[in-house]
PDB file of all heavy atoms in Angstrom:
ATOM      1  N   ILE B  21     -87.513   2.971  -6.820  1.00 98.00           N
ATOM      2  CA  ILE B  21     -87.720   3.863  -7.954  1.00 98.00           C
ATOM      3  C   ILE B  21     -86.849   3.361  -9.101  1.00 98.00           C
ATOM      4  O   ILE B  21     -85.645   3.170  -8.926  1.00 98.00           O
ATOM      5  CB  ILE B  21     -87.351   5.311  -7.599  1.00 98.00           C
ATOM      6  CG1 ILE B  21     -88.227   5.807  -6.441  1.00 98.00           C
ATOM      7  CG2 ILE B  21     -87.506   6.206  -8.814  1.00 98.00           C
ATOM      8  CD1 ILE B  21     -87.825   7.166  -5.902  1.00 98.00           C
ATOM      9  N   ASN B  22     -87.479   3.165 -10.240  1.00 98.00           N
ATOM     10  CA  ASN B  22     -86.777   2.617 -11.396  1.00 98.00           C
ATOM     11  C   ASN B  22     -86.442   3.699 -12.421  1.00 98.00           C
ATOM     12  O   ASN B  22     -87.210   4.651 -12.616  1.00 98.00           O
ATOM     13  CB  ASN B  22     -87.623   1.542 -12.064  1.00 98.00           C
ATOM     14  CG  ASN B  22     -87.860   0.374 -11.154  1.00 98.00           C
ATOM     15  OD1 ASN B  22     -86.936  -0.365 -10.817  1.00 98.00           O
ATOM     16  ND2 ASN B  22     -89.104   0.187 -10.722  1.00 98.00           N
ATOM     17  N   CYS B  23     -85.303   3.519 -13.078  1.00 98.00           N
ATOM     18  CA  CYS B  23     -84.833   4.477 -14.073  1.00 98.00           C
ATOM     19  C   CYS B  23     -84.202   3.705 -15.225  1.00 98.00           C
ATOM     20  O   CYS B  23     -83.439   2.762 -14.994  1.00 98.00           O
ATOM     21  CB  CYS B  23     -83.820   5.422 -13.434  1.00 98.00           C
ATOM     22  SG  CYS B  23     -83.001   6.569 -14.573  1.00 98.00           S
ATOM     23  N   SER B  24     -84.536   4.082 -16.440  1.00 97.00           N
ATOM     24  CA  SER B  24     -83.909   3.464 -17.602  1.00 97.00           C
ATOM     25  C   SER B  24     -83.374   4.554 -18.526  1.00 97.00           C
ATOM     26  O   SER B  24     -83.897   5.667 -18.547  1.00 97.00           O
ATOM     27  CB  SER B  24     -84.915   2.576 -18.344  1.00 97.00           C
ATOM     28  OG  SER B  24     -85.989   3.343 -18.822  1.00 97.00           O
ATOM     29  N   TYR B  25     -82.339   4.223 -19.255  1.00 97.00           N
ATOM     30  CA  TYR B  25     -81.743   5.189 -20.177  1.00 97.00           C
ATOM     31  C   TYR B  25     -81.469   4.505 -21.510  1.00 97.00           C
ATOM     32  O   TYR B  25     -81.526   3.277 -21.614  1.00 97.00           O
ATOM     33  CB  TYR B  25     -80.459   5.792 -19.583  1.00 97.00           C
ATOM     34  CG  TYR B  25     -79.345   4.791 -19.364  1.00 97.00           C
ATOM     35  CD1 TYR B  25     -78.313   4.666 -20.285  1.00 97.00           C
ATOM     36  CD2 TYR B  25     -79.331   3.979 -18.235  1.00 97.00           C
ATOM     37  CE1 TYR B  25     -77.298   3.753 -20.094  1.00 97.00           C
ATOM     38  CE2 TYR B  25     -78.322   3.052 -18.044  1.00 97.00           C
ATOM     39  CZ  TYR B  25     -77.300   2.943 -18.962  1.00 97.00           C
ATOM     40  OH  TYR B  25     -76.297   2.033 -18.778  1.00 97.00           O
ATOM     41  N   THR B  26     -81.204   5.291 -22.530  1.00 95.00           N
ATOM     42  CA  THR B  26     -81.061   4.709 -23.876  1.00 95.00           C
ATOM     43  C   THR B  26     -79.636   4.759 -24.424  1.00 95.00           C
ATOM     44  O   THR B  26     -79.275   3.935 -25.264  1.00 95.00           O
ATOM     45  CB  THR B  26     -81.982   5.437 -24.864  1.00 95.00           C
ATOM     46  OG1 THR B  26     -81.667   6.829 -24.861  1.00 95.00           O
ATOM     47  CG2 THR B  26     -83.448   5.243 -24.489  1.00 95.00           C
ATOM     48  N   ASP B  27     -78.834   5.702 -23.981  1.00 93.00           N
ATOM     49  CA  ASP B  27     -77.499   5.890 -24.546  1.00 93.00           C
ATOM     50  C   ASP B  27     -76.495   4.947 -23.875  1.00 93.00           C
ATOM     51  O   ASP B  27     -76.152   5.131 -22.706  1.00 93.00           O
ATOM     52  CB  ASP B  27     -77.068   7.348 -24.363  1.00 93.00           C
ATOM     53  CG  ASP B  27     -75.753   7.670 -25.055  1.00 93.00           C
ATOM     54  OD1 ASP B  27     -75.130   6.731 -25.619  1.00 93.00           O
ATOM     55  OD2 ASP B  27     -75.340   8.833 -25.030  1.00 93.00           O
ATOM     56  N   SER B  28     -76.023   3.973 -24.614  1.00 93.00           N
ATOM     57  CA  SER B  28     -75.077   3.002 -24.050  1.00 93.00           C
ATOM     58  C   SER B  28     -73.739   3.633 -23.687  1.00 93.00           C
ATOM     59  O   SER B  28     -72.925   3.025 -22.998  1.00 93.00           O
ATOM     60  CB  SER B  28     -74.848   1.846 -25.032  1.00 93.00           C
ATOM     61  OG  SER B  28     -74.391   2.348 -26.271  1.00 93.00           O
ATOM     62  N   ALA B  29     -73.500   4.857 -24.140  1.00 92.00           N
ATOM     63  CA  ALA B  29     -72.253   5.555 -23.813  1.00 92.00           C
ATOM     64  C   ALA B  29     -72.326   6.277 -22.474  1.00 92.00           C
ATOM     65  O   ALA B  29     -71.333   6.835 -22.015  1.00 92.00           O
ATOM     66  CB  ALA B  29     -71.911   6.555 -24.911  1.00 92.00           C
ATOM     67  N   SER B  30     -73.475   6.278 -21.833  1.00 93.00           N
ATOM     68  CA  SER B  30     -73.609   6.944 -20.535  1.00 93.00           C
ATOM     69  C   SER B  30     -72.764   6.242 -19.488  1.00 93.00           C
ATOM     70  O   SER B  30     -72.745   5.008 -19.407  1.00 93.00           O
ATOM     71  CB  SER B  30     -75.077   6.981 -20.097  1.00 93.00           C
ATOM     72  OG  SER B  30     -75.797   7.869 -20.915  1.00 93.00           O
ATOM     73  N   VAL B  31     -72.047   7.025 -18.696  1.00 93.00           N
ATOM     74  CA  VAL B  31     -71.081   6.466 -17.745  1.00 93.00           C
ATOM     75  C   VAL B  31     -71.271   6.955 -16.319  1.00 93.00           C
ATOM     76  O   VAL B  31     -70.652   6.442 -15.389  1.00 93.00           O
ATOM     77  CB  VAL B  31     -69.637   6.786 -18.184  1.00 93.00           C
ATOM     78  CG1 VAL B  31     -69.297   6.075 -19.489  1.00 93.00           C
ATOM     79  CG2 VAL B  31     -69.432   8.290 -18.331  1.00 93.00           C
ATOM     80  N   TYR B  32     -72.096   7.972 -16.128  1.00 93.00           N
ATOM     81  CA  TYR B  32     -72.224   8.566 -14.804  1.00 93.00           C
ATOM     82  C   TYR B  32     -73.698   8.845 -14.542  1.00 93.00           C
ATOM     83  O   TYR B  32     -74.386   9.419 -15.387  1.00 93.00           O
ATOM     84  CB  TYR B  32     -71.402   9.854 -14.742  1.00 93.00           C
ATOM     85  CG  TYR B  32     -71.518  10.595 -13.437  1.00 93.00           C
ATOM     86  CD1 TYR B  32     -71.044  10.035 -12.249  1.00 93.00           C
ATOM     87  CD2 TYR B  32     -72.093  11.851 -13.383  1.00 93.00           C
ATOM     88  CE1 TYR B  32     -71.146  10.708 -11.050  1.00 93.00           C
ATOM     89  CE2 TYR B  32     -72.201  12.532 -12.197  1.00 93.00           C
ATOM     90  CZ  TYR B  32     -71.731  11.959 -11.031  1.00 93.00           C
ATOM     91  OH  TYR B  32     -71.830  12.623  -9.833  1.00 93.00           O
ATOM     92  N   PHE B  33     -74.171   8.438 -13.351  1.00 95.00           N
ATOM     93  CA  PHE B  33     -75.600   8.486 -13.054  1.00 95.00           C
ATOM     94  C   PHE B  33     -75.848   9.064 -11.662  1.00 95.00           C
ATOM     95  O   PHE B  33     -75.884   8.337 -10.672  1.00 95.00           O
ATOM     96  CB  PHE B  33     -76.200   7.078 -13.154  1.00 95.00           C
ATOM     97  CG  PHE B  33     -75.919   6.415 -14.477  1.00 95.00           C
ATOM     98  CD1 PHE B  33     -74.768   5.666 -14.652  1.00 95.00           C
ATOM     99  CD2 PHE B  33     -76.798   6.556 -15.541  1.00 95.00           C
ATOM    100  CE1 PHE B  33     -74.487   5.060 -15.877  1.00 95.00           C
ATOM    101  CE2 PHE B  33     -76.539   5.955 -16.758  1.00 95.00           C
ATOM    102  CZ  PHE B  33     -75.385   5.205 -16.923  1.00 95.00           C
TER     103      PHE B  33
END
Side-chain angles (χ1 to χ4, degrees):
Chain B
I21 300 173
N22 297 293
C23 174
S24 62
Y25 64 99
T26 57
D27 186 356
S28 57
S30 290
V31 294
Y32 177 65
F33 306 89

